[in-house]
């Protein structure tokens, strides 16, 4: 896909995947594909919508966005720009910036083409037409949201613009883009069906619940707490936008046999053999069949998991044993992260993962941690989203959740606390419910502590959000909106206690990071975009 400045039709991809009669289409101007030769059937319109769905997000960013935060380290390559972003060593020429811009605007273009031409399709059920329009509007809003979250002010494109217009378009104020997004989501939430109204063959399509969840996330990122409450309450306490709940097993939530469960609000759709993702080939333990490790959880993430009594490991009453650090911890740790002596389960078979050097009794087994090798850089691997039914090279058809009900509960809890409305009832409905589902049993972990106060609850809620959503690509957005990135992305990111004792008490120094709050809270506009369009001004601190 060419840059926004060129803003051309995604002709080759659509011809390859969906379109018929491409020979005739080649005669049409490439920037004005509105011919009735294409818009002749519902199936062709659906093909265009399918393209927009496929452009909505991608698995590489889903996982490697964690590497741009303090949760993980991208130690090999610069996947999705994660290594450069986390270390603060990037500039406007970073490929991730350009690809983010390109991909988002490609999807916006697809949606605009569909919206401007679908009315040309004759003999189409009007309710189907309106629903497809609503789905395209959701995707277009979601793409604008991603852009403005990273870049701030960005061009708002409500229609398919020409090449000439694209070469002179200016950045729209972020507030105006957000107003557009919220207005769109409010309009379509009454058009889209609920999750329960979808036929089995339509599972995975955008619903009214997804529109509300995205709307809540937009308000959350802007700190609009009352609006967060008003948007999440219908999802928690009503069924006008669908009926959702926590899946009983945290570990099972991410397994292929439990896709489309009551917690899944919207997922990226994958189909084994046809559309798959394969990031675990470079994330799983080597002894489990992985090629190498490119994304490893950090010690800072591991340390954020509470003890089973609900106390943080730095509390002298927690019972934490630095010599045996993974016992009696939050059960979500085992469901998310692979650590030394982890019992790896795969299709009924179990083997121990020996990560600490010199501990594996099998001398022929691959070394799971050797500095400078292809193994983990931090002493940890990832378990969450491991697919036992994967095929060759860890290719998986497991759906990846973009919005799930637990996130809605966390948004609601955070908003209620910021409004100084946290109480026993809200706690039990949100944090208490999440911990009970996770497997906590001790009252000190489950009960509401009225003495904490707003600041104490804020710390608890933020940590709960970190561990509940760990390795799902959301942490980077949280540390940016909380304005704590300069605290957690400055200094060393650490790994397990496999290093020299005199240095950081033996915890591995794996990546030195730097975050400049004067400029890093917004990405720079990609250099190539500004070279092609001088009307695209640059963000503060960048050239």
């Amino acid at each position: 896909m060419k840059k926004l400045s060129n803003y051309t039709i995604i002709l080759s991809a659509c011809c390859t995947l969906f379109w018929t009669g491409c020979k005739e289409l080649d005669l049409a101007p490439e920037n004005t594909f509105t011919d009735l030769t294409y818009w002749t059937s519902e199936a062709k319109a659906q093909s265009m919508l399918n393209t927009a769905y496929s452009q909505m997000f991608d698995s590489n960013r889903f996982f490697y966005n964690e590497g741009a935060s303090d949760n993980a380290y991208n130690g090999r390559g610069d996947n999705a720009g994660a290594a450069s972003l986390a270390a603060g060593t990037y500039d406007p020429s970073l490929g991730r910036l350009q690809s983010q811009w390109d991909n988002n605007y490609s999807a916006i273009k697809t949606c605009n083409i569909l919206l401007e031409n679908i009315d040309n399709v004759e003999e189409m059920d009007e309710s189907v037409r309106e629903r497809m329009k609503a789905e395209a509007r959701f995707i277009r809003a979601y793409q604008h949201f991603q852009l403005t979250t990273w870049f701030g002010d960005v061009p708002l494109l409500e229609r398919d613009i020409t090449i000439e217009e694209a070469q002179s378009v200016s950045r729209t104020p972020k507030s105006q883009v957000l107003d557009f997004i919220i207005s769109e989501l409010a309009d379509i939430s009454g058009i889209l069906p609920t999750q329960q109204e979808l036929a089995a063959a339509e599972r995975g399509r955008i619903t009214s619940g997804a529109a509300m969840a995205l709307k809540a996330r937009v308000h959350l990122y802007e700190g609009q707490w009352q609006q967060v409450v008003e948007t999440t309450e219908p999802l928690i306490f009503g069924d006008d936008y669908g009926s959702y709940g926590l899946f009983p097993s945290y570990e099972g939530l991410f397994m292929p046999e439990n896709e489309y469960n009551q917690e899944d609000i919207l997922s990226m759709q994958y189909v084994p053999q046809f559309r798959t993702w394969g990031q675990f080939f470079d994330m799983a333990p080597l002894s489990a069949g992985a090629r190498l490790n490119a994304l490893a959880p950090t010690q800072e993430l591991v340390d954020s998991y509470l003890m089973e009594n609900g106390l943080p490991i730095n509390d002298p009453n927690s019972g934490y044993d630095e010599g045996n650090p993974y016992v009696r911890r939050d059960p979500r740790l085992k469901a998310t992260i692979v650590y030394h002596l982890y019992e790896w389960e795969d299709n009924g078979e179990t083997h121990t993962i020996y990560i600490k050097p010199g501990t594996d009794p099998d001398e022929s087994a691959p070394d799971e941690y050797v500095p400078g090798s292809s193994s983990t850089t931090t002493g940890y691997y990832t378990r969450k989203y491991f697919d036992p039914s994967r095929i060759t090279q860890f290719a998986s058809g497991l759906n990846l959740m973009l919005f799930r009900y637990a996130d809605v509960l966390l948004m609601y809890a955070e908003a209620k606390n910021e409004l100084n409305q946290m109480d026993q009832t809200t706690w039990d409905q949100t944090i208490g419910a999440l911990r009970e589902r996770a497997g906590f049993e001790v009252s000190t972990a489950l009960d509401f502590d009225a003495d904490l106060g707003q600041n104490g609850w804020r710390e608890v809620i933020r940590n709960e959000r970190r561990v509940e959503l760990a390795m799902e690509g959301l942490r980077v957005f949280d540390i940016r909106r909380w304005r704590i990135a300069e605290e957690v992305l400055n200094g060393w990111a650490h790994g397990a206690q496999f290093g020299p004792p005199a240095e950081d008490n033996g915890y591995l120094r794996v990546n030195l990071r730097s975050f400049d709050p004067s400029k890093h809270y917004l990405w720079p506009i990609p250099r190539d975009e500004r070279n092609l369009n001088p009307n695209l001004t640059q963000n503060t601190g960048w050239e």
Side-chain angles (χ1 to χ4, degrees):
M1 182 63 192
K2 296 182 180 179
K3 300 174 180 62
L4 172 62
S5 303
N6 295 330
Y7 205 58
T8 54
I9 185 69
I10 46 176
L11 183 60
S12 60
C14 288
C15 283
T16 301
L17 296 175
F18 304 114
W19 290 355
T20 59
C22 284
K23 184 175 181 180
E24 291 79 10
L25 297 181
D26 289 344
L27 302 176
E30 65 175 347
N31 67 320
T32 56
F33 186 74
T34 58
D35 288 351
L36 293 178
T37 55
Y38 180 77
W39 300 97
T40 57
S41 70
E42 179 182 320
K44 289 185 176 181
Q46 183 63 60
S47 291
M48 181 65 82
L49 182 58
N50 289 347
T51 299
Y53 266 98
S54 71
Q55 295 170 312
M56 192 157 54
F57 207 69
D58 71 74
S59 59
N60 209 43
R61 289 177 189 162
F62 181 89
F63 288 107
Y64 282 94
N65 275 351
E66 286 291 276
S69 79
D70 54 340
N71 274 359
Y73 171 49
N74 172 204
R76 291 176 180 85
D78 196 5
N79 293 284
S84 297
L85 292 168
T89 58
Y90 62 102
D91 63 24
S93 66
L94 181 68
R96 167 63 188 276
L97 310 184
Q98 187 66 65
S99 65
Q100 185 80 48
W101 188 275
D102 289 348
N103 297 158
N104 291 151
Y105 278 114
S106 296
I108 290 169
K109 182 173 185 65
T110 303
C111 294
N112 281 335
I113 290 174
L114 182 140
L115 290 167
E116 292 174 17
N117 291 281
I118 193 172
D119 287 341
N120 292 327
V121 179
E122 299 177 355
E123 298 181 2
M124 183 176 183
D125 184 279
E126 288 305 314
S127 64
V128 173
R129 193 194 311 271
E130 291 307 307
R131 173 181 167 180
M132 290 175 65
K133 287 182 181 179
E135 291 173 76
R137 291 168 70 185
F138 175 97
I139 297 171
R140 182 176 62 178
Y142 185 48
Q143 301 301 330
H144 278 103
F145 176 55
Q146 291 182 63
L147 283 163
T148 197
T149 299
W150 291 122
F151 297 105
D153 300 346
V154 294
L156 170 61
L157 301 185
E158 301 181 54
R159 59 179 179 82
D160 184 31
I161 62 175
T162 66
I163 292 176
E164 292 73 19
E165 289 174 306
Q167 291 172 337
S168 60
V169 68
S170 299
R171 298 170 68 187
T172 307
K174 179 180 178 180
S175 60
Q176 186 177 332
V177 179
L178 293 175
D179 287 345
F180 169 76
I181 294 169
I182 293 297
S183 176
E184 287 286 277
L185 295 173
D187 284 348
I188 65 176
S189 61
I191 301 172
L192 292 164
T194 67
Q195 181 172 276
Q196 286 68 39
E197 291 171 336
L198 291 176
E202 295 183 315
R203 292 184 306 180
R205 296 187 69 160
I206 294 163
T207 62
S208 58
M212 293 295 283
L214 175 54
K215 183 180 176 184
R217 188 175 288 178
V218 174
H219 287 310
L220 181 81
Y221 285 12
E222 293 305 302
Q224 297 167 339
W225 306 118
Q226 186 58 43
Q227 291 93 326
V228 173
V229 170
E230 293 170 357
T231 308
T232 53
E233 280 185 336
L235 294 173
I236 299 172
F237 305 115
D239 57 9
D240 288 346
Y241 301 102
S243 179
Y244 298 98
L246 293 175
F247 186 72
S249 166
Y250 184 80
E251 182 178 16
L253 173 63
F254 307 99
M255 300 297 285
E257 61 268 25
N258 298 317
E259 287 181 328
Y260 305 112
N261 62 71
Q262 67 266 34
E263 189 164 340
D264 180 3
I265 298 176
L266 181 66
S267 292
M268 285 188 286
Q269 300 295 297
Y270 293 90
V271 181
Q273 317 253 353
F274 295 101
R275 184 180 187 234
T276 61
W277 55 271
Q279 277 70 29
F280 256 82
F281 199 29
D282 297 331
M283 291 170 60
L286 302 188
S287 61
R291 171 176 54 187
L292 52 82
N293 182 260
L295 185 69
T298 60
Q299 185 66 44
E300 283 75 15
L301 173 59
V302 173
D303 287 347
S304 68
Y305 287 85
L306 304 175
M307 298 297 290
E308 63 182 12
N309 58 15
L311 296 177
I313 63 171
N314 60 3
D315 189 306
N317 298 314
S318 69
Y320 175 69
D321 179 4
E322 192 174 36
N324 196 9
Y326 312 119
V327 298
R328 299 187 301 277
R329 300 290 292 274
D330 180 337
R332 289 171 292 194
L333 174 61
K334 182 178 184 295
T336 306
I337 297 173
V338 179
Y339 41 79
H340 179 54
L341 301 182
Y342 187 97
E343 293 299 313
W344 181 269
E345 298 179 8
D346 186 3
N347 288 312
E349 297 184 0
T350 302
H351 76 273
T352 303
I353 306 295
Y354 294 93
I355 303 181
K356 188 173 183 178
T359 61
D360 194 338
D362 183 358
E363 295 183 359
S364 65
D367 292 322
E368 296 288 7
Y369 173 72
V370 176
S373 74
S374 61
S375 62
T376 169
T377 51
T378 67
Y380 298 105
Y381 292 101
T382 305
R383 176 70 183 189
K384 182 188 283 188
Y385 273 115
F386 168 69
D387 181 4
S389 65
R390 84 277 183 201
I391 51 180
T392 306
Q393 298 182 345
F394 284 81
S396 172
L398 177 60
N399 294 339
L400 300 174
M401 287 179 279
L402 298 175
F403 297 90
R404 61 184 179 94
Y405 183 67
D407 189 6
V408 173
L409 294 181
L410 288 162
M411 288 192 279
Y412 180 70
E414 184 176 348
K416 290 287 280 186
N417 186 58
E418 295 303 325
L419 292 170
N420 206 20
Q421 296 174 2
M422 176 57 70
D423 55 21
Q424 175 81 54
T425 300
T426 302
W427 173 273
D428 291 343
Q429 292 165 339
T430 57
I431 309 303
L434 289 168
R435 290 186 178 180
E436 185 174 4
R437 188 271 293 276
F440 282 96
E441 297 177 348
V442 181
S443 60
T444 50
L446 297 173
D447 292 349
F448 177 65
D449 185 352
D451 296 329
L452 283 179
Q454 187 181 39
N455 290 335
W457 293 320
R458 180 182 294 119
E459 183 178 342
V460 167
I461 292 167
R462 289 183 176 184
N463 194 74
E464 191 72 21
R465 184 172 180 86
R466 183 179 192 178
V467 299
E468 173 69 28
L469 302 175
M471 304 309 291
E472 297 180 47
L474 294 175
R475 173 70 174 175
V476 64
F477 302 109
D478 287 337
I479 63 175
R480 288 159 65 92
R481 68 183 177 86
W482 290 331
R483 286 296 193 266
I484 63 169
E486 62 263 39
E487 301 171 23
V488 303
L489 289 181
N490 266 317
W492 287 100
H494 293 89
Q497 203 172 22
F498 299 160
E503 189 175 84
D504 291 349
N505 197 28
Y507 290 97
L508 296 167
R509 288 181 170 183
V510 297
N511 186 225
L512 184 59
R513 297 174 164 185
S514 176
F515 188 94
D516 182 351
S518 70
K519 68 177 186 177
H520 281 152
Y521 276 115
L522 286 179
W523 284 358
I525 303 301
R527 181 166 294 160
D528 287 350
E529 291 302 319
R530 299 190 67 237
N531 288 339
L532 291 165
N533 180 0
N535 287 336
L536 293 174
T537 57
Q538 188 55 281
N539 283 323
T540 302
W542 300 99
E543 296 180 359

